[in-house]
Amino acid sequence: MIELLCAEISAFYINHSILLGIKISWTNKNLPPSPPRLPIIGNLHQLGLNPHRSLEALSKKHGPLMLIHLGNVPMLVASSPEAAKEILKTHDLKFASRPKLRIPDILLYGSNDITFSPYGEYWRQLKSIAVVHLLNNTRVQSFEQVREKEVALMIDKIKNSCGSLVDLNELFFWLTNNIVCMASLGRKYGGSTFADIMDRFMHLLSGFNVGDYIPWLAWIDRLSGLEEKAHKVAKEFDDFLECVVEEHVHKRTEMDAQCREDQDLVDTLLDVQRDNATGFTFHRDVIKALILREGIVRINDFNKQAHDNEDAKGTITTNKTPKGNGKIPLLVPRESTQDVELMGYDIPAGTQAIVNAWAIGRDPTLWEEPQEFRPERFLNTSTDYKGLHFELLPFGGGRRGCPGIQFAIVIIELALANVIYKFDLALPDGVKGKDLDMSEKYGLVVHKKSPLIVVATSRF
């Protein structure tokens, strides 16, 4: 393998000049500071297993806006509210597109979802459908009974534990799984098989694909089996979603969909497709892509954010749920479609950009004792999580910010408020909070490597 890789690199230098071309074309530009890079791989070797931490360390040396190179791909890294604001607000339109990434392409029907599709008319139509038909306040409120019923079931499970160990990871996964499945698909889908597919999907979606950054080494992804795994999971999910859609289509032939009061996300999308009110060609794969990304995949996002905020202390009522720092470490990469001057630096079109929300959320110049979980810090401040305050970005910001904020927050608030208000939570075997293993696992959402096991005692 090593000999073959060396041969490929030698052939690349002889037959290609892409790296030199990039260097020459950028020579006369005023570029942001950059860490030294290696030939071919650039700064890839500096990312490590926890890129959010590695990039934070580099930003302390090179500044809050720095330029790194992942293979031959230039990427801006924003590690301060000011730098994030430049990308997410001031120059939001110029950074509104997404880079083409191989694994999301495989998993999400050619990146035909809201998150990964490039900026343009197609994305604008999807965003409009999501905002107007799927995730508006009326739709979110329509699932209130579903949320309350599932939270009540979770509370009963904790009560019935009788002081034995409770795995909060598992509880929150099945809570959000049940709520999101009911709202999106019309019924619950559980079992170890579904959870396994979800786990593999999320793992692949947050993984690293060599070919995205060094195209002539794309064979490594095929040789490692990465693409094969992605195709396998994509096929499994497609089969599942095809059955779901067909089930809904069959039911709609038996009753007037307009008369139904229990419409779920799939019903709504089928209505939009039938009415064609937007003039947008709405194929079956578009429906499945929206269901997959804007519905099912949110299960893990909600679960991990709720779980990672579960170590709050004290009594919390439903109208005073604290806001915690989100655990999404690096926002989904953007890509500039035009040349832009940003914070005095020249940024050419085609440059990728990421915001290190994790680093910003732990900046000691912004937050007092940033490494401590102190939800009370938000009680008397106007700073919120909706993307308007760039020191706190759990859902991103700008036109590519998460459109499902309302849906997520009502689940997290209701679940946390009930658990923390109704139970005293303690670590087993007399372990103190300061001794809790907080080692993390990197992914789309950073979370604890080990599950959070507690003993719950009812307050009432």
Side-chain angles (χ1 to χ4, degrees), residues 103 106-107 204 225-235:
I103 298 303
I106 295 173
L107 295 174
L204 287 165
L226 180 63
E227 289 194 8
E228 181 181 357
K229 292 175 183 176
H231 281 293
K232 185 175 186 298
V233 170
K235 177 64 166 57

Side-chain angles (χ1 to χ4, degrees), residues 249-395:
V249 171
H250 178 69
K251 286 182 179 179
R252 291 161 69 86
T253 63
E254 300 176 351
M255 63 183 71
D256 184 1
Q258 295 293 338
C259 296
R260 295 179 58 204
E261 297 180 355
D262 59 341
Q263 284 217 344
D264 53 50
L265 183 151
V266 179
D267 290 317
T268 303
L269 290 174
L270 289 172
D271 283 347
V272 174
Q273 183 189 48
R274 180 198 61 196
D275 298 339
N276 197 25
T278 63
F280 174 54
T281 303
F282 213 54
H283 297 299
R284 177 70 67 89
D285 282 357
V286 176
I287 293 178
K288 290 186 288 189
L290 283 168
I291 297 169
L292 185 55
R293 181 57 196 168
E294 308 315 315
I296 298 176
V297 171
R298 300 269 177 229
I299 293 170
N300 269 27
D301 294 347
F302 301 162
N303 168 52
K304 288 169 184 173
Q305 288 197 45
H307 156 249
D308 286 331
N309 285 297
E310 182 56 39
D311 56 349
K313 306 292 193 298
T315 300
I316 301 176
T317 57
T318 52
N319 64 344
K320 293 188 69 175
T321 308
K323 297 170 282 186
N325 285 32
K327 300 295 184 180
I328 298 176
L330 302 173
L331 303 189
V332 180
R334 297 185 174 213
E335 186 173 78
S336 60
T337 55
Q338 305 174 45
D339 292 349
V340 58
E341 182 178 318
L342 196 153
M343 297 179 70
Y345 298 111
D346 299 323
I347 310 300
T351 302
Q352 293 187 21
I354 56 173
V355 174
N356 193 342
W358 187 91
I360 295 173
R362 283 155 184 76
D363 187 338
T365 66
L366 301 172
W367 305 100
E368 184 180 350
E369 298 184 86
Q371 300 300 329
E372 297 296 321
F373 183 79
R374 290 174 50 193
E376 66 274 12
R377 72 173 82 238
F378 296 102
L379 291 177
N380 298 307
T381 178
S382 60
T383 301
D384 68 18
Y385 50 80
K386 297 178 182 178
L388 300 176
H389 298 92
F390 299 92
E391 61 267 38
L392 184 64
L393 295 166
F395 295 98

Side-chain angles (χ1 to χ4, degrees), residues 114 126-143 180 183-184 265 268-269 290 293-295 298 302 401-408 410-411:
I114 293 177
L126 288 187
K127 182 69 177 289
S128 176
I129 290 169
V131 172
V132 174
H133 298 283
L134 303 179
L135 299 170
N136 59 69
N137 185 61
T138 300
R139 291 290 291 159
V140 171
Q141 293 305 316
S142 71
F143 297 114
V180 175
S184 300
L265 183 151
T268 303
L269 290 174
L290 283 168
R293 181 57 196 168
E294 308 315 315
R298 300 269 177 229
F302 301 162
C402 176
I405 293 178
Q406 281 184 290
F407 196 96
V410 291
I411 296 176

